[in-house]
């Protein structure tokens, strides 16, 4: 069984970013990312902090907007409008999910698609479906694809089963895996909470992507012997003996699934670090593209 280390692959991606950043610096360019968080969800706060920190570590320009849960739609739209016009900002990310009174779709549509490093804007969703390389692909599925590539997993002709149909992971993951070319050319099945007899489908997967957001959901019975399993889940479960009072578990019951796998990603240290690394990579791409078009 091969343990696919997201920590190691993320380091490689970040090293590539570093050399790109040095090259951009020689042209007088400093890529900038603005991260917007509304409310005080602890998991979202932790993600936003680590995104901001990683930017600074790399020498990117990073601006963090932590807004109260009472922030109005109008105030948020005004901030996005301001960031769209800010020449020092190349990437804009509004942490999802926002509080209930915020219309997230309207916020996403207000972001300049050229700065939409999350790949959530309809223009970028369309570009992914169209296989247009100028678009932005959501960071988590992009990171999963990179993990498969770096681990030497052949996707061409493989049956990839995606569990979960979210706009952030499941749907773009399916589009990436079915796209033509390296890391694609797979036969893709998308399953979700309404799928009948899920295990009978996941058991046919050569590559299984678990993105349901339920702790330990994928069990040994869901997995074929020799499958490759990518665990996207980052679930906090109460743990009284853990220092923070919780621990992180994936969507895959690692201990019982891992022995059946040809390769599997751990949680933590799997997909998580890749999401942040791909965010950095997308921010550099935005900086380069914006500059070429100015
Ligand atoms: N919430 C969970 N993952 C993500 C992500 O990749 N981007 C944003 N904006 N919010 C998220």
């Amino acid at each position: 069984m091969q343990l696919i280390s997201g920590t190691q692959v993320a380091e490689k991606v970040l090293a590539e970013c570093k050399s790109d950043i040095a090259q951009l610096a020689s042209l007088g360019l400093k890529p900038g990312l603005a991260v917007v968080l509304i409310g005080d969800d602890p998991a979202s706060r932790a993600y936003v902090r680590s995104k901001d920190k990683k930017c600074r570590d790399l020498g990117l320009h990073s601006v963090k907007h932590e807004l109260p849960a009472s922030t109005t739609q109008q105030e948020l739209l005004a901030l996005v409008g301001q960031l769209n016009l800010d020449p020092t900002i190349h990437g804009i990310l509004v942490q999802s999910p926002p509080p209930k009174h915020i219309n997230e779709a309207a916020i996403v549509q207000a972001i300049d698609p050229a700065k939409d490093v999350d790949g959530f804007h309809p223009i970028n969703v369309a570009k992914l479906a169209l296989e247009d390389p100028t678009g932005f692909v959501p960071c988590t599925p992009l990171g999963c694809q990179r993990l498969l590539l770096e681990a030497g997993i052949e996707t061409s002709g493989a049956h990839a089963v995606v569990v979960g149909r979210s706009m952030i992971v499941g749907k773009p993951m399916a589009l990436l895996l079915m796209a033509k070319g390296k890391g694609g050319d797979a036969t893709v099945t998308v399953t979700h909470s309404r799928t009948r007899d899920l295990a009978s489908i996941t058991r046919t997967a050569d590559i299984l992507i678990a993105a349901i957001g339920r702790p330990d959901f994928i069990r040994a019975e869901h997995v074929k012997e020799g499958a490759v399993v990518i665990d996207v889940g980052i679930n906090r479960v109460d743990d009284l003996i853990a220092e923070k009072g919780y621990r992180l578990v994936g969507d895959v019951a690692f201990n019982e699934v891992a022995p059946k796998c040809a390769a599997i990603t751990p949680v933590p240290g799997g997909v998580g670090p890749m999401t942040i690394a791909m965010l950095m990579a997308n921010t550099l791409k935005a900086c380069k593209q914006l500059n070429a078009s100015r």
Side-chain angles (χ1 to χ4, degrees):
M1 191 269 293
Q2 176 191 0
L3 192 64
I4 304 174
S5 168
T7 310
Q8 269 174 32
V9 177
E11 263 172 35
K12 180 173 176 184
V13 172
L14 292 172
E16 292 167 5
C17 287
K18 266 199 178 141
S19 86
D20 270 17
I21 289 164
Q23 209 176 343
L24 288 167
S26 71
L27 301 169
L29 293 170
K30 185 168 187 167
L33 175 68
V35 179
V36 181
L37 170 69
I38 314 108
D40 45 18
D41 175 67
S44 290
R45 280 180 87 98
Y47 295 140
V48 164
R49 292 238 167 92
S50 57
K51 285 166 185 172
D52 179 57
K53 181 174 184 306
K54 190 57 78 184
C55 273
R56 288 168 194 277
D57 290 351
L58 278 177
L60 296 192
H61 173 53
S62 173
V63 183
K64 188 173 51 161
H65 293 269
E66 289 184 287
L67 308 176
S70 59
T71 303
T72 65
Q73 182 82 10
Q74 230 179 353
E75 286 167 334
L76 200 50
L77 285 172
L79 174 59
V80 168
Q82 183 192 317
L83 295 169
N84 282 341
L85 295 174
D86 186 338
T88 69
I89 295 298
H90 307 92
I92 303 171
L93 177 148
V94 179
Q95 186 65 27
S96 181
K100 283 195 190 65
H101 67 277
I102 297 293
N103 176 351
E104 188 174 13
I107 300 298
V108 165
Q109 287 187 40
I111 297 173
D112 180 347
K115 296 189 175 185
D116 170 38
V117 286
D118 258 330
F120 294 171
H121 190 285
I123 294 265
N124 286 315
V125 177
K127 284 186 173 183
L128 174 56
L130 293 164
E131 302 182 25
D132 176 339
T134 67
F136 291 98
V137 178
C139 304
T140 302
L142 194 58
C144 293
Q145 185 186 48
R146 182 70 186 258
L147 282 178
L148 292 171
L149 285 166
E150 294 288 337
I153 311 293
E154 181 60 87
T155 54
S156 178
H159 184 207
V161 175
V162 180
V163 188
R165 56 178 158 178
S166 71
M167 289 304 297
I168 298 188
V169 187
K171 220 179 271 188
M173 187 78 250
L175 286 169
L176 275 178
L177 288 165
M178 75 170 85
K180 291 183 197 77
K182 240 173 55 175
D185 292 327
T187 303
V188 180
T189 302
V190 180
T191 64
H192 48 79
S193 54
R194 301 294 173 95
T195 297
R196 267 183 221 143
D197 195 6
L198 180 74
S200 72
I201 298 170
T202 55
R203 269 200 305 271
T204 67
D206 303 309
I207 299 169
L208 182 62
I209 314 277
I212 336 111
R214 290 209 236 159
D216 294 338
F217 182 82
I218 298 292
R219 313 296 299 251
E221 71 192 51
H222 291 94
V223 180
K224 175 171 79 175
E225 199 73 44
V228 173
V229 175
I230 305 291
D231 187 351
V232 180
I234 303 179
N235 307 291
R236 288 186 176 198
V237 298
D238 291 340
D239 184 345
L240 295 176
I241 53 173
E243 199 179 314
K244 294 179 174 166
Y246 67 87
R247 67 195 151 86
L248 295 179
V249 302
D251 289 350
V252 177
F254 186 90
N255 289 339
E256 63 178 70
V257 170
K260 296 183 84 173
C261 294
I264 186 168
T265 61
V267 176
V271 173
M274 290 303 295
T275 296
I276 296 190
M278 301 324 282
L279 174 65
M280 302 299 124
N282 276 353
T283 303
L284 300 193
K285 177 177 170 177
C287 178
K288 290 179 204 167
Q289 290 190 165
L290 279 163
N291 229 68
S293 69
R294 270 187 190 136

